[in-house]
Amino acid sequence: MKDSSLRLVLISTPIGALGSGRGGGVELTLRSLVQGLVGRQHQLTLVAPRGSERPQGCDAVELLEVDGVDQPSWQHASEAASVEIPRNAVLPRLLDVALQRADKADALLNFGYDWLPLWITPHIQQPLFHLISMGAVTTVMGEAIEALGRWDQRRLAFHTARQASDFTLPNLPCVVGNGFDLQAYRFQPAENGPLGWAGRIAPEKGLEDAAAAAAALGDRLLVWGLREDEVYAAAVESAVPPGTIEWRGFLSTEDLQRDLGACRALINTPKWNEAYGNVVVEAMACGVPVIAYDRGGPGELIVPGENGLLVPPDDVSALAESIRRCGEIDRYACRHWAERHASQDVFSGRVEAWIRAGLAADGNITAMQ
């Protein structure tokens, strides 16, 4: 017997409007999940900063746009940073609008990595769930996530076990992975293209190591992403021979997958504990093997020899040597891995199961069979 549809209020990232690129990988995750949940016949209300766009094919989703000042990202905060809520901040306004709709919903699902939504969860009657998008980047955020886990860990889900291991939790974490509309990614069998790198242009993403490895091989490196830190971008470019880096900018999924699919390998060089690694799966969906540091989420996604190769973190020489071996990877196997583990339907099904289980524990709804 088919489960009844859920009525969900989704609370977007407070860092920027959906479609702006400022929300990083959370934007892609949210867009994909909305599409997947719509495909599973759930009723959705999306609360997001002003200027946001509905995901493609989701015209039936109610979009409530909220004015306010973007929240600073915790990603660049020091470990001892304090909680900061700007004047006229969009974050509390997103919560306010979402709570106004909560009485007609089965649950609320928060995508914003911030202290306030976590803190407020035990103090409201409406069930509020959190898909945690980063590791413990600061002490105060780590403590907030752990405190909520002690109160009711069923309200928390993570993208990978490696991400969840940043936190001390009373039980094994709920890991839902991630997933994408794989029909939007065209498989390309070509093996002799340039090297690629994608992500926000910021120090924690480690672009300088990918550039150094490409330079050591005398190769060209195509770089996609929002140039969040111009000083850092200029320093990376000046450290390698002219022409090594070819800046491609922040592209739509359609344009990115077309160009990325022509690469012979994607290099992934995080300097921190990535929660997942969206672009790793995007590359695999195009048939592109991934050469990555064995750190954080990417280290959990890559099966060495099947869909890529793992390298000791921060070892540029080993990175260059592994790039030389990327032709050993079957590009069809990369695509097949993505289809088995990271499709939109697989991801949305895991999220649905997590929410249904949490609601059933509260006595609010029948658990998913």
Side-chain angles (χ1 to χ4, degrees):
M1 180 175 172
K2 182 175 168 50
D3 289 298
S4 59
S5 65
L6 293 171
R7 297 165 299 170
L8 302 174
V9 176
L10 310 184
I11 308 168
S12 180
T13 171
I15 295 177
L18 290 177
S20 69
R22 297 196 299 277
V26 176
E27 290 191 38
L28 180 60
T29 297
L30 195 155
R31 182 169 70 245
S32 178
L33 183 57
V34 168
Q35 291 171 330
L37 292 173
V38 166
R40 300 175 76 86
Q41 307 302 311
H42 298 301
Q43 302 173 46
L44 308 181
T45 295
L46 175 59
V47 184
R50 179 72 61 188
S52 292
E53 303 169 352
R54 286 183 185 83
Q56 186 176 5
C58 296
D59 293 343
V61 173
E62 181 183 25
L63 174 62
L64 302 178
E65 297 180 77
V66 180
D67 293 307
V69 176
D70 288 353
Q71 190 74 6
S73 173
W74 284 97
Q75 194 159 31
H76 306 299
S78 67
E79 184 177 350
S82 300
V83 174
E84 177 183 349
I85 301 178
R87 183 170 180 266
N88 298 321
V90 74
L91 175 59
R93 295 178 181 180
L94 290 172
L95 291 170
D96 185 42
V97 172
L99 289 171
Q100 290 176 29
R101 294 300 183 102
D103 289 342
K104 296 182 178 179
D106 295 307
L108 296 88
L109 175 55
N110 170 55
F111 291 83
Y113 184 95
D114 221 296
W115 179 87
L116 182 59
L118 295 163
W119 177 85
I120 203 174
T121 302
H123 302 286
I124 59 176
Q125 292 185 341
Q126 299 89 342
L128 175 56
F129 293 80
H130 303 266
L131 181 53
I132 305 298
S133 60
M134 291 193 288
V137 293
T138 66
T139 299
V140 69
M141 280 300 297
E143 290 175 347
I145 290 168
E146 291 172 354
L148 184 55
R150 290 191 297 272
W151 178 75
D152 187 352
Q153 191 179 318
R154 293 166 299 197
R155 300 294 185 89
L156 299 171
F158 303 87
H159 290 294
T160 59
R162 288 195 179 192
Q163 172 206 8
S165 69
D166 269 6
F167 309 99
T168 301
L169 301 168
N171 303 299
L172 290 175
C174 177
V175 175
V176 296
N178 211 334
F180 311 101
D181 178 8
L182 298 183
Q183 295 182 18
Y185 298 87
R186 180 169 58 90
F187 174 81
Q188 296 190 45
E191 299 179 350
N192 299 314
L195 300 173
W197 185 98
R200 286 179 299 98
I201 316 302
E204 68 273 5
K205 296 294 187 176
L207 173 58
E208 67 271 22
D209 287 7
L217 298 171
D219 235 312
R220 185 167 54 116
L221 181 67
L222 308 187
V223 175
W224 296 275
L226 190 69
R227 288 175 63 138
E228 190 173 85
D229 188 329
E230 288 289 351
V231 173
Y232 168 73
V236 171
E237 187 168 29
S238 66
V240 294
T244 300
I245 294 179
E246 186 173 319
W247 302 104
R248 292 298 184 95
F250 177 74
L251 302 182
S252 66
T253 296
E254 180 180 359
D255 292 335
L256 173 63
Q257 64 85 29
R258 182 190 61 234
D259 293 351
L260 177 58
C263 291
R264 74 177 188 275
L266 175 81
I267 307 176
N268 188 257
T269 48
K271 294 290 185 178
W272 71 314
N273 188 19
E274 289 273 8
Y276 186 74
N278 290 354
V279 71
V280 169
V281 175
E282 290 187 280
M284 293 176 189
C286 298
V288 178
V290 181
I291 314 300
Y293 284 157
D294 190 2
R295 173 182 278 147
E300 197 168 311
L301 303 177
I302 293 172
V303 181
E306 179 180 339
N307 55 17
L309 295 168
L310 291 173
V311 176
D314 308 320
D315 189 335
V316 176
S317 296
L319 188 66
E321 181 58 34
S322 292
I323 293 170
R324 291 190 179 96
R325 297 173 49 207
C326 67
E328 302 172 7
I329 308 299
D330 183 349
R331 292 173 74 94
Y332 287 98
C334 296
R335 173 71 186 199
H336 292 158
W337 186 95
E339 291 172 343
R340 293 195 307 273
H341 299 283
S343 72
Q344 196 174 74
D345 190 56
V346 166
F347 177 43
S348 59
R350 289 175 183 150
V351 171
E352 177 185 334
W354 160 50
I355 292 175
R356 285 191 184 277
L359 291 174
D362 288 343
N364 292 330
I365 199 166
T366 301
M368 185 169 160
Q369 300 299 316

